[in-house]
Amino acid sequence: MLSDWELWACANHVLKTHGENAPLHVAEQIGALALAQDETGIATWKAIAKRVAELMGKDRLTRLQ
């Protein structure tokens, strides 16, 4: 698993790269990893999703899981 700092850096990069579509991008990544049965990857992207939601100013985590 990535460090907290690395997760924040990833979330920031996803948000800068995908803007308003960042949650969709994260959901697509989680979906692809679910199909591949990559539990570690899924956990990582869920952690990134939480941080993306916080950076976007959402009060609650968008249901990407």
Side-chain angles (χ1 to χ4, degrees):
M1 184 70 139
L2 300 174
S3 71
D4 188 53
W5 184 91
E6 291 168 317
L7 291 169
W8 280 107
C10 289
N12 189 51
H13 177 73
V14 169
L15 191 55
K16 284 184 176 182
T17 303
H18 298 281
E20 288 183 17
N21 294 321
L24 175 61
H25 175 73
V26 172
E28 289 171 342
Q29 297 306 307
I30 292 171
L33 291 164
L35 290 174
Q37 299 179 343
D38 182 347
E39 297 299 324
T40 302
I42 293 167
T44 299
W45 276 95
K46 283 184 176 183
I48 293 168
K50 178 181 177 188
R51 287 158 178 80
V52 166
E54 287 187 43
L55 288 172
M56 292 182 78
K58 297 188 185 296
D59 293 329
R60 292 187 285 174
L61 175 64
T62 304
R63 297 297 296 174
L64 297 178
Q65 298 84 330

